[in-house]
Amino acid sequence: MSTTSSRRRFLSTALRTGLVVGAGSAVLAACSEATPASTPVGAGSPVAPANSVPAGSIPPSADPVLTGEQALARLVAGNARFVADRDERLDEGVARRVAVSKGQHPFATVLGCVDSRVPIELVFDQGLGDLVVVRSAGEALDHSVVGSLEFGVAELHTPLLVVLGHQRCGALDATIKAIDAHQRTSEAGQIDYLVETLTPAVRQVAGKPGDRLTNAIHANVDLVLAELRKSPVIAPLEKSGKVKLVGAYYELDTGQVVLT
Ligand SMILES: [Zn+2]
């Protein structure tokens, strides 16, 4: 058994049993998959079309059998509520907190930017236990980000993985400026790591018509998806139909998430 696979098996076992794995001050909190018997489960429940779905009409996300398409429809419906300023936030109260305290069945894993204007749960009008959210500037990938996304789809079994770029992303804008100036963004720290990571997206759209930043943001989502499809954990899940991978773009001006 390889070191990697034994480590992963250990992690998987620890997560199933609720064991907390500590390493110095960093603690990987246990995330038991067990669902209390009292938790409502709406197996195979239909998902109504966007613009017409109050959150309360959909069973809590304890539903373990959503397909990727159903999960995506739930996100789309939640974003429609957000855009229309009809957020329901029914999954944020005490009852929900108690319901998910002993177990979780999130229905989507989402990678988004750290931008303060793009809080993932809010723009999709979702609550406690609904989403596995990973955020990094410009959705930049590193080992921790990829590992966290793998954790979402492989250990928490979300049937959907979304990479969400957004309008006027400052991380990609900074990358463009650094490339044009032929200089680093800082002498110390890790911001240049982000710039280096995002540089391929900017290079890819050089000379293309349209807004350069917007083009780079879209190219970045595509590159991130392509990179995630190289993951030995994510790739087979997508191939077998257990996980749906989707790119998306959040418009700051409208609040709307557009699938790409
Ligand atoms: Zn951003």
Side-chain angles (χ1 to χ4, degrees), residues 8-21 28-34 104 151 154-156:
R8 185 161 177 270
R9 182 168 301 180
F10 171 73
L11 175 60
S12 178
T13 303
L15 293 168
R16 272 198 298 273
T17 57
L19 173 68
V20 175
V21 182
L28 179 61
C31 304
S32 168
E33 295 175 21
Q104 59 175 321
F151 174 66
E155 304 297 343
L156 295 177

PDB file of all heavy atoms in Angstrom, residues 8-21 28-34 104 151 154-156:
ATOM      1  N   ARG A   8      -4.764   8.163   3.129  1.00  0.00           N
ATOM      2  CA  ARG A   8      -6.130   8.473   2.754  1.00  0.00           C
ATOM      3  C   ARG A   8      -7.099   7.520   3.456  1.00  0.00           C
ATOM      4  O   ARG A   8      -8.168   7.914   3.910  1.00  0.00           O
ATOM      5  CB  ARG A   8      -6.278   8.372   1.243  1.00  0.00           C
ATOM      6  CG  ARG A   8      -7.641   8.789   0.771  1.00  0.00           C
ATOM      7  CD  ARG A   8      -7.656   9.130  -0.691  1.00  0.00           C
ATOM      8  NE  ARG A   8      -9.010   9.458  -1.071  1.00  0.00           N
ATOM      9  CZ  ARG A   8      -9.874   8.527  -1.504  1.00  0.00           C
ATOM     10  NH1 ARG A   8      -9.504   7.288  -1.636  1.00  0.00           N
ATOM     11  NH2 ARG A   8     -11.109   8.871  -1.800  1.00  0.00           N
ATOM     12  N   ARG A   9      -6.704   6.244   3.547  1.00  0.00           N
ATOM     13  CA  ARG A   9      -7.566   5.280   4.216  1.00  0.00           C
ATOM     14  C   ARG A   9      -7.724   5.643   5.681  1.00  0.00           C
ATOM     15  O   ARG A   9      -8.797   5.554   6.243  1.00  0.00           O
ATOM     16  CB  ARG A   9      -6.966   3.885   4.059  1.00  0.00           C
ATOM     17  CG  ARG A   9      -7.820   2.801   4.692  1.00  0.00           C
ATOM     18  CD  ARG A   9      -7.357   1.429   4.277  1.00  0.00           C
ATOM     19  NE  ARG A   9      -7.403   1.240   2.847  1.00  0.00           N
ATOM     20  CZ  ARG A   9      -7.051   0.108   2.248  1.00  0.00           C
ATOM     21  NH1 ARG A   9      -6.646  -0.909   2.956  1.00  0.00           N
ATOM     22  NH2 ARG A   9      -7.114   0.010   0.939  1.00  0.00           N
ATOM     23  N   PHE A  10      -6.624   6.091   6.291  1.00  0.00           N
ATOM     24  CA  PHE A  10      -6.683   6.503   7.683  1.00  0.00           C
ATOM     25  C   PHE A  10      -7.625   7.681   7.847  1.00  0.00           C
ATOM     26  O   PHE A  10      -8.470   7.704   8.738  1.00  0.00           O
ATOM     27  CB  PHE A  10      -5.286   6.882   8.174  1.00  0.00           C
ATOM     28  CG  PHE A  10      -5.298   7.528   9.527  1.00  0.00           C
ATOM     29  CD1 PHE A  10      -5.550   6.774  10.667  1.00  0.00           C
ATOM     30  CD2 PHE A  10      -5.082   8.890   9.663  1.00  0.00           C
ATOM     31  CE1 PHE A  10      -5.574   7.366  11.912  1.00  0.00           C
ATOM     32  CE2 PHE A  10      -5.109   9.484  10.901  1.00  0.00           C
ATOM     33  CZ  PHE A  10      -5.354   8.726  12.032  1.00  0.00           C
ATOM     34  N   LEU A  11      -7.490   8.648   6.944  1.00  0.00           N
ATOM     35  CA  LEU A  11      -8.339   9.832   7.021  1.00  0.00           C
ATOM     36  C   LEU A  11      -9.795   9.437   6.865  1.00  0.00           C
ATOM     37  O   LEU A  11     -10.669   9.873   7.615  1.00  0.00           O
ATOM     38  CB  LEU A  11      -7.948  10.832   5.925  1.00  0.00           C
ATOM     39  CG  LEU A  11      -8.828  12.066   5.795  1.00  0.00           C
ATOM     40  CD1 LEU A  11      -8.806  12.859   7.087  1.00  0.00           C
ATOM     41  CD2 LEU A  11      -8.363  12.926   4.627  1.00  0.00           C
ATOM     42  N   SER A  12     -10.028   8.560   5.870  1.00  0.00           N
ATOM     43  CA  SER A  12     -11.396   8.137   5.620  1.00  0.00           C
ATOM     44  C   SER A  12     -11.991   7.452   6.843  1.00  0.00           C
ATOM     45  O   SER A  12     -13.122   7.720   7.240  1.00  0.00           O
ATOM     46  CB  SER A  12     -11.412   7.188   4.421  1.00  0.00           C
ATOM     47  OG  SER A  12     -12.717   6.733   4.182  1.00  0.00           O
ATOM     48  N   THR A  13     -11.209   6.558   7.450  1.00  0.00           N
ATOM     49  CA  THR A  13     -11.677   5.854   8.643  1.00  0.00           C
ATOM     50  C   THR A  13     -11.936   6.831   9.779  1.00  0.00           C
ATOM     51  O   THR A  13     -12.945   6.758  10.474  1.00  0.00           O
ATOM     52  CB  THR A  13     -10.630   4.816   9.090  1.00  0.00           C
ATOM     53  OG1 THR A  13     -10.388   3.930   8.001  1.00  0.00           O
ATOM     54  CG2 THR A  13     -11.117   4.037  10.298  1.00  0.00           C
ATOM     55  N   ALA A  14     -11.008   7.767   9.936  1.00  0.00           N
ATOM     56  CA  ALA A  14     -11.152   8.755  11.008  1.00  0.00           C
ATOM     57  C   ALA A  14     -12.422   9.567  10.832  1.00  0.00           C
ATOM     58  O   ALA A  14     -13.141   9.844  11.792  1.00  0.00           O
ATOM     59  CB  ALA A  14      -9.932   9.681  11.021  1.00  0.00           C
ATOM     60  N   LEU A  15     -12.711   9.910   9.581  1.00  0.00           N
ATOM     61  CA  LEU A  15     -13.884  10.728   9.320  1.00  0.00           C
ATOM     62  C   LEU A  15     -15.163   9.950   9.592  1.00  0.00           C
ATOM     63  O   LEU A  15     -16.123  10.464  10.144  1.00  0.00           O
ATOM     64  CB  LEU A  15     -13.865  11.211   7.872  1.00  0.00           C
ATOM     65  CG  LEU A  15     -12.745  12.192   7.567  1.00  0.00           C
ATOM     66  CD1 LEU A  15     -12.618  12.380   6.074  1.00  0.00           C
ATOM     67  CD2 LEU A  15     -13.010  13.516   8.251  1.00  0.00           C
ATOM     68  N   ARG A  16     -15.148   8.680   9.192  1.00  0.00           N
ATOM     69  CA  ARG A  16     -16.352   7.879   9.407  1.00  0.00           C
ATOM     70  C   ARG A  16     -16.631   7.658  10.879  1.00  0.00           C
ATOM     71  O   ARG A  16     -17.764   7.615  11.310  1.00  0.00           O
ATOM     72  CB  ARG A  16     -16.210   6.530   8.687  1.00  0.00           C
ATOM     73  CG  ARG A  16     -16.665   6.560   7.246  1.00  0.00           C
ATOM     74  CD  ARG A  16     -16.922   5.151   6.756  1.00  0.00           C
ATOM     75  NE  ARG A  16     -15.727   4.342   6.800  1.00  0.00           N
ATOM     76  CZ  ARG A  16     -14.834   4.273   5.823  1.00  0.00           C
ATOM     77  NH1 ARG A  16     -15.012   4.964   4.738  1.00  0.00           N
ATOM     78  NH2 ARG A  16     -13.754   3.522   5.940  1.00  0.00           N
ATOM     79  N   THR A  17     -15.548   7.518  11.643  1.00  0.00           N
ATOM     80  CA  THR A  17     -15.741   7.214  13.056  1.00  0.00           C
ATOM     81  C   THR A  17     -15.821   8.462  13.915  1.00  0.00           C
ATOM     82  O   THR A  17     -16.037   8.378  15.106  1.00  0.00           O
ATOM     83  CB  THR A  17     -14.576   6.357  13.575  1.00  0.00           C
ATOM     84  OG1 THR A  17     -13.348   7.063  13.335  1.00  0.00           O
ATOM     85  CG2 THR A  17     -14.533   5.019  12.868  1.00  0.00           C
ATOM     86  N   GLY A  18     -15.624   9.621  13.296  1.00  0.00           N
ATOM     87  CA  GLY A  18     -15.739  10.846  14.058  1.00  0.00           C
ATOM     88  C   GLY A  18     -14.479  11.188  14.825  1.00  0.00           C
ATOM     89  O   GLY A  18     -14.498  12.048  15.691  1.00  0.00           O
ATOM     90  N   LEU A  19     -13.385  10.500  14.512  1.00  0.00           N
ATOM     91  CA  LEU A  19     -12.133  10.771  15.205  1.00  0.00           C
ATOM     92  C   LEU A  19     -11.584  12.129  14.787  1.00  0.00           C
ATOM     93  O   LEU A  19     -11.593  12.488  13.618  1.00  0.00           O
ATOM     94  CB  LEU A  19     -11.108   9.685  14.829  1.00  0.00           C
ATOM     95  CG  LEU A  19      -9.677   9.884  15.317  1.00  0.00           C
ATOM     96  CD1 LEU A  19      -9.630   9.753  16.834  1.00  0.00           C
ATOM     97  CD2 LEU A  19      -8.759   8.850  14.673  1.00  0.00           C
ATOM     98  N   VAL A  20     -11.111  12.879  15.766  1.00  0.00           N
ATOM     99  CA  VAL A  20     -10.476  14.151  15.455  1.00  0.00           C
ATOM    100  C   VAL A  20      -8.986  13.917  15.288  1.00  0.00           C
ATOM    101  O   VAL A  20      -8.327  13.362  16.159  1.00  0.00           O
ATOM    102  CB  VAL A  20     -10.724  15.178  16.572  1.00  0.00           C
ATOM    103  CG1 VAL A  20      -9.947  16.461  16.287  1.00  0.00           C
ATOM    104  CG2 VAL A  20     -12.199  15.478  16.695  1.00  0.00           C
ATOM    105  N   VAL A  21      -8.473  14.325  14.163  1.00  0.00           N
ATOM    106  CA  VAL A  21      -7.063  14.139  13.874  1.00  0.00           C
ATOM    107  C   VAL A  21      -6.344  15.451  14.127  1.00  0.00           C
ATOM    108  O   VAL A  21      -6.630  16.447  13.494  1.00  0.00           O
ATOM    109  CB  VAL A  21      -6.861  13.723  12.396  1.00  0.00           C
ATOM    110  CG1 VAL A  21      -5.389  13.481  12.125  1.00  0.00           C
ATOM    111  CG2 VAL A  21      -7.674  12.482  12.100  1.00  0.00           C
ATOM    112  N   LEU A  28      -7.683  18.880  12.163  1.00  0.00           N
ATOM    113  CA  LEU A  28      -8.661  18.568  11.136  1.00  0.00           C
ATOM    114  C   LEU A  28      -9.887  18.036  11.836  1.00  0.00           C
ATOM    115  O   LEU A  28      -9.892  16.947  12.373  1.00  0.00           O
ATOM    116  CB  LEU A  28      -8.089  17.516  10.175  1.00  0.00           C
ATOM    117  CG  LEU A  28      -9.003  17.062   9.046  1.00  0.00           C
ATOM    118  CD1 LEU A  28      -9.359  18.264   8.172  1.00  0.00           C
ATOM    119  CD2 LEU A  28      -8.340  15.977   8.237  1.00  0.00           C
ATOM    120  N   ALA A  29     -10.915  18.820  11.875  1.00  0.00           N
ATOM    121  CA  ALA A  29     -12.110  18.450  12.617  1.00  0.00           C
ATOM    122  C   ALA A  29     -12.780  17.239  12.003  1.00  0.00           C
ATOM    123  O   ALA A  29     -12.797  17.064  10.798  1.00  0.00           O
ATOM    124  CB  ALA A  29     -13.074  19.625  12.644  1.00  0.00           C
ATOM    125  N   ALA A  30     -13.307  16.425  12.847  1.00  0.00           N
ATOM    126  CA  ALA A  30     -14.011  15.244  12.369  1.00  0.00           C
ATOM    127  C   ALA A  30     -15.309  15.639  11.702  1.00  0.00           C
ATOM    128  O   ALA A  30     -15.947  16.602  12.081  1.00  0.00           O
ATOM    129  CB  ALA A  30     -14.302  14.326  13.546  1.00  0.00           C
ATOM    130  N   CYS A  31     -15.677  14.905  10.693  1.00  0.00           N
ATOM    131  CA  CYS A  31     -16.903  15.192   9.968  1.00  0.00           C
ATOM    132  C   CYS A  31     -17.643  13.876   9.790  1.00  0.00           C
ATOM    133  O   CYS A  31     -17.555  13.256   8.753  1.00  0.00           O
ATOM    134  CB  CYS A  31     -16.615  15.823   8.619  1.00  0.00           C
ATOM    135  SG  CYS A  31     -15.633  17.322   8.739  1.00  0.00           S
ATOM    136  N   SER A  32     -18.319  13.471  10.820  1.00  0.00           N
ATOM    137  CA  SER A  32     -19.021  12.192  10.758  1.00  0.00           C
ATOM    138  C   SER A  32     -20.054  12.212   9.654  1.00  0.00           C
ATOM    139  O   SER A  32     -20.745  13.193   9.445  1.00  0.00           O
ATOM    140  CB  SER A  32     -19.700  11.926  12.090  1.00  0.00           C
ATOM    141  OG  SER A  32     -20.587  10.856  11.963  1.00  0.00           O
ATOM    142  N   GLU A  33     -20.145  11.109   8.940  1.00  0.00           N
ATOM    143  CA  GLU A  33     -21.133  11.020   7.879  1.00  0.00           C
ATOM    144  C   GLU A  33     -22.456  10.486   8.389  1.00  0.00           C
ATOM    145  O   GLU A  33     -23.428  10.415   7.656  1.00  0.00           O
ATOM    146  CB  GLU A  33     -20.615  10.108   6.772  1.00  0.00           C
ATOM    147  CG  GLU A  33     -19.388  10.678   6.092  1.00  0.00           C
ATOM    148  CD  GLU A  33     -18.821   9.722   5.080  1.00  0.00           C
ATOM    149  OE1 GLU A  33     -19.558   8.838   4.622  1.00  0.00           O
ATOM    150  OE2 GLU A  33     -17.645   9.846   4.756  1.00  0.00           O
ATOM    151  N   ALA A  34     -22.461  10.079   9.655  1.00  0.00           N
ATOM    152  CA  ALA A  34     -23.686   9.480  10.184  1.00  0.00           C
ATOM    153  C   ALA A  34     -24.804  10.502  10.226  1.00  0.00           C
ATOM    154  O   ALA A  34     -24.602  11.658  10.563  1.00  0.00           O
ATOM    155  CB  ALA A  34     -23.426   8.958  11.584  1.00  0.00           C
ATOM    156  N   GLN A 104     -23.632  15.038   8.432  1.00  0.00           N
ATOM    157  CA  GLN A 104     -23.837  15.980   7.327  1.00  0.00           C
ATOM    158  C   GLN A 104     -23.920  15.242   6.006  1.00  0.00           C
ATOM    159  O   GLN A 104     -23.258  14.237   5.780  1.00  0.00           O
ATOM    160  CB  GLN A 104     -22.699  16.999   7.274  1.00  0.00           C
ATOM    161  CG  GLN A 104     -21.315  16.373   7.093  1.00  0.00           C
ATOM    162  CD  GLN A 104     -20.236  17.416   6.925  1.00  0.00           C
ATOM    163  OE1 GLN A 104     -20.433  18.432   6.274  1.00  0.00           O
ATOM    164  NE2 GLN A 104     -19.073  17.157   7.516  1.00  0.00           N
ATOM    165  N   PHE A 151     -11.886  15.879  -0.779  1.00  0.00           N
ATOM    166  CA  PHE A 151     -12.582  15.500   0.456  1.00  0.00           C
ATOM    167  C   PHE A 151     -14.095  15.681   0.294  1.00  0.00           C
ATOM    168  O   PHE A 151     -14.894  14.824   0.682  1.00  0.00           O
ATOM    169  CB  PHE A 151     -12.053  16.360   1.598  1.00  0.00           C
ATOM    170  CG  PHE A 151     -12.780  16.189   2.891  1.00  0.00           C
ATOM    171  CD1 PHE A 151     -12.736  14.999   3.585  1.00  0.00           C
ATOM    172  CD2 PHE A 151     -13.513  17.240   3.426  1.00  0.00           C
ATOM    173  CE1 PHE A 151     -13.413  14.840   4.787  1.00  0.00           C
ATOM    174  CE2 PHE A 151     -14.189  17.101   4.620  1.00  0.00           C
ATOM    175  CZ  PHE A 151     -14.141  15.899   5.306  1.00  0.00           C
ATOM    176  N   ALA A 154     -15.288  12.928  -2.432  1.00  0.00           N
ATOM    177  CA  ALA A 154     -14.993  11.516  -2.162  1.00  0.00           C
ATOM    178  C   ALA A 154     -15.413  11.078  -0.769  1.00  0.00           C
ATOM    179  O   ALA A 154     -15.843   9.940  -0.582  1.00  0.00           O
ATOM    180  CB  ALA A 154     -13.499  11.249  -2.354  1.00  0.00           C
ATOM    181  N   GLU A 155     -15.290  11.949   0.203  1.00  0.00           N
ATOM    182  CA  GLU A 155     -15.599  11.557   1.586  1.00  0.00           C
ATOM    183  C   GLU A 155     -16.977  12.036   2.030  1.00  0.00           C
ATOM    184  O   GLU A 155     -17.643  11.365   2.805  1.00  0.00           O
ATOM    185  CB  GLU A 155     -14.532  12.102   2.539  1.00  0.00           C
ATOM    186  CG  GLU A 155     -13.115  11.688   2.185  1.00  0.00           C
ATOM    187  CD  GLU A 155     -12.885  10.185   2.251  1.00  0.00           C
ATOM    188  OE1 GLU A 155     -13.709   9.472   2.862  1.00  0.00           O
ATOM    189  OE2 GLU A 155     -11.889   9.712   1.692  1.00  0.00           O
ATOM    190  N   LEU A 156     -17.370  13.209   1.567  1.00  0.00           N
ATOM    191  CA  LEU A 156     -18.704  13.699   1.916  1.00  0.00           C
ATOM    192  C   LEU A 156     -19.706  13.429   0.791  1.00  0.00           C
ATOM    193  O   LEU A 156     -20.882  13.743   0.905  1.00  0.00           O
ATOM    194  CB  LEU A 156     -18.656  15.198   2.247  1.00  0.00           C
ATOM    195  CG  LEU A 156     -17.836  15.521   3.503  1.00  0.00           C
ATOM    196  CD1 LEU A 156     -17.764  17.021   3.737  1.00  0.00           C
ATOM    197  CD2 LEU A 156     -18.414  14.826   4.731  1.00  0.00           C
TER     198      LEU A 156
END
